[in-house]
Amino acid sequence: MARTQLMGRTPLMAGNWKMNLNHVEAAGLVQKLAWTLSDYRYDNAKAQAAVIVPFTDIRTVQNLIEGDKLPFTFGAQDVSVHDSGAYTGEVSAAMLAKLNCAYVVVGHSERREYHGETDQVVNAKALKVIAAGMTPIICVGERLEIRKEGTHVPYVLGQVDGVLAGLTPAQVGAAVIAYEPVWAIGTGEVATPEDAQEVCGAIRERVSASFGADAASKVRIQYGGSVKAGNVVDIMAGPDVDGALVGGASLDPEEFARIITFYAR
Ligand code: PGA
């Protein structure tokens, strides 16, 4: 059993496809993932799994997962801060909820870097996701220069304060926070298990101080950044690491199935 399950939290292994796979390719990957998980005798009581897909893939993925009762859920990679109206190109939380998305990632470092999203915007998006009845996966994480300065813990805690502003303790307890050091994303440069635990533990302490012990014991805190089948077991050994947000490796069904079933090794 994973350490995190001893604390009453079920690990969440989420695959962020980013801007990869059209809807036909998405159907192929979801089916292959389901077959591979069944080969591995995947038990979703031991670790939950989700695919976080491009908007254009959601309907196809929904039909497959719901129609075939596959043992994992799905979600979106971003959402609008607006409810509806003249916002060309935006997708609302209500639209995603109507498609039965379980999760919506907000504040991924690529959104922050290429689209100028601030903690305030990420906070507004998280609140929209919650109001629409879905679970936000709220991303935080420091860039390389902050890590080199050694100020990564206070920096990330400042982000946590910003992105969780205005949430109730119950909403925080039901949310997912993803700690993704920017220098470890897509670089093959993985944080050590100690690095991951250090920051995930500090985030939980901050949640406890700001929202209470109950919220802190329930909130799931993922690590993300170059997670692979070969390093996931060590990363998941941290008592405050409740799952992984997996980019590149989630596009390979064999690799992602091995990541999801980390608990068996
Ligand atoms: P990576 O991406 O696993 O390819 O490093 C992680 C992420 O950006 O969520």
Side-chain angles (χ1 to χ4, degrees):
M1 186 185 277
R3 293 278 296 274
T4 178
Q5 266 206 312
L6 299 173
M7 326 270 172
R9 298 182 294 270
T10 306
L12 173 63
M13 317 307 279
N16 172 15
W17 292 1
K18 308 193 179 184
M19 196 173 72
N20 293 293
L21 309 185
N22 62 41
H23 75 282
V24 180
E25 295 162 337
L29 180 50
V30 162
Q31 273 163 330
K32 279 189 203 138
L33 180 61
W35 296 328
T36 314
L37 284 172
S38 120
D39 287 348
Y40 279 91
R41 298 174 196 282
Y42 167 52
D43 177 357
N44 66 359
K46 300 231 170 82
Q48 295 171 351
V51 288
I52 307 296
V53 307
F55 291 135
T56 51
D57 296 356
I58 294 175
R59 182 65 168 159
T60 301
V61 167
Q62 177 201 14
N63 283 340
L64 265 175
I65 290 179
E66 293 180 356
D68 295 348
K69 298 194 169 48
L70 303 183
F72 47 92
T73 56
F74 60 94
Q77 301 174 7
D78 187 30
V79 68
S80 178
V81 294
H82 305 289
D83 289 330
S84 67
Y87 300 103
T88 303
E90 296 277 280
V91 172
S92 74
M95 292 169 179
L96 297 175
K98 186 76 179 165
L99 288 161
N100 273 354
C101 285
Y103 299 99
V104 182
V105 169
V106 293
H108 190 277
S109 65
E110 288 148 18
R111 300 292 318 169
R112 291 173 181 265
E113 185 176 347
Y114 306 131
H115 302 272
E117 293 192 10
T118 59
D119 289 335
Q120 207 181 0
V121 169
V122 177
N123 174 240
K125 292 186 172 190
L127 287 165
K128 290 294 180 196
V129 171
I130 292 167
M134 300 174 290
T135 300
I137 298 178
I138 310 170
C139 301
V140 294
E142 81 283 359
R143 292 184 309 280
L144 185 59
E145 61 270 22
I146 307 270
R147 167 67 58 165
K148 282 189 174 151
E149 276 171 25
T151 53
H152 50 283
V153 172
Y155 178 85
V156 170
L157 296 182
Q159 290 182 315
V160 168
D161 292 345
V163 297
L164 297 183
L167 273 70
T168 66
Q171 289 170 338
V172 173
V176 179
I177 299 172
Y179 167 57
E180 297 203 305
V182 179
W183 47 272
I185 295 180
T187 56
E189 183 85 31
V190 64
T192 65
E194 294 73 28
D195 291 336
Q197 169 56 31
E198 177 194 32
V199 182
C200 291
I203 292 172
R204 196 176 310 282
E205 277 173 28
R206 184 63 139 238
V207 168
S208 182
S210 304
F211 298 93
D214 188 53
S217 75
K218 289 182 177 145
V219 65
R220 288 188 290 180
I221 305 174
Q222 296 177 313
Y223 167 78
S226 298
V227 174
K228 306 275 183 281
N231 58 30
V232 66
V233 174
D234 289 340
I235 287 169
M236 288 301 298
D240 291 299
V241 181
D242 305 322
L245 187 54
V246 183
S250 73
L251 296 170
D252 176 342
E254 174 71 28
E255 180 87 7
F256 191 40
R258 291 179 61 211
I259 291 170
I260 293 167
T261 56
F262 77 92
Y263 56 79
R265 278 176 285 135

